[in-house]
């Protein structure tokens, strides 16, 4: 399988999306971009001491862990389905 990042859900993408090899949504250390920026903005809105940098570093991980503890989630420091849903 060749990998293309064309934004189209072609046959290759759909095959992977509906396979057992599909990866669950997670944002964690080292990630960057719009999703990270949105997470940081929301944490900031909620009063967590975080800068909006669009990069998921140790400060973001610490804020996410604290948010998770405060909301009864496992504090693994990554933003998966449950953390994103509560945010």
């Amino acid at each position: 399988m060749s990998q293309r990042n064309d934004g189209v859900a072609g046959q290759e993408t759909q095959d992977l999306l509906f396979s057992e090899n599909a990866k669950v949504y997670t944002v964690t250390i080292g990630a960057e971009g719009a999703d990270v920026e949105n997470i940081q903005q929301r944490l900031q809105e909620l009063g967590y001491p975080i800068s909006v940098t669009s990069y998921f570093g140790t400060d973001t991980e610490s804020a996410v862990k604290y948010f998770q503890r405060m909301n009864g989630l496992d504090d693994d420091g990554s933003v998966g389905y449950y953390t994103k849903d509560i945010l």
Side-chain angles (χ1 to χ4, degrees):
M1 259 190 213
S2 64
Q3 292 186 349
R4 292 185 341 207
N5 295 321
D6 58 8
V8 176
Q11 190 61 50
E12 225 178 307
T13 300
Q14 289 183 40
D15 289 346
L16 180 58
L17 183 63
F18 294 104
S19 79
E20 292 180 13
N21 296 325
K23 304 238 188 280
V24 176
Y25 176 88
T26 301
V27 180
T28 190
I29 289 275
E32 54 189 321
D35 282 353
V36 176
E37 183 176 342
N38 291 335
I39 290 164
Q40 291 169 331
Q41 286 175 342
R42 182 62 180 143
L43 286 167
Q44 199 175 61
E45 288 170 3
L46 294 171
Y48 292 83
I50 186 74
S51 297
V52 178
T53 64
S54 298
Y55 177 77
F56 198 119
T58 56
D59 290 345
T60 302
E61 181 185 48
S62 294
V64 168
K65 282 182 176 181
Y66 187 56
F67 172 83
Q68 290 168 324
R69 281 192 303 274
M70 296 301 293
N71 287 277
L73 299 170
D74 290 336
D75 60 341
D76 64 2
S78 66
V79 179
Y81 175 79
Y82 294 111
T83 300
K84 185 176 185 224
D85 188 49
I86 292 175
L87 266 173

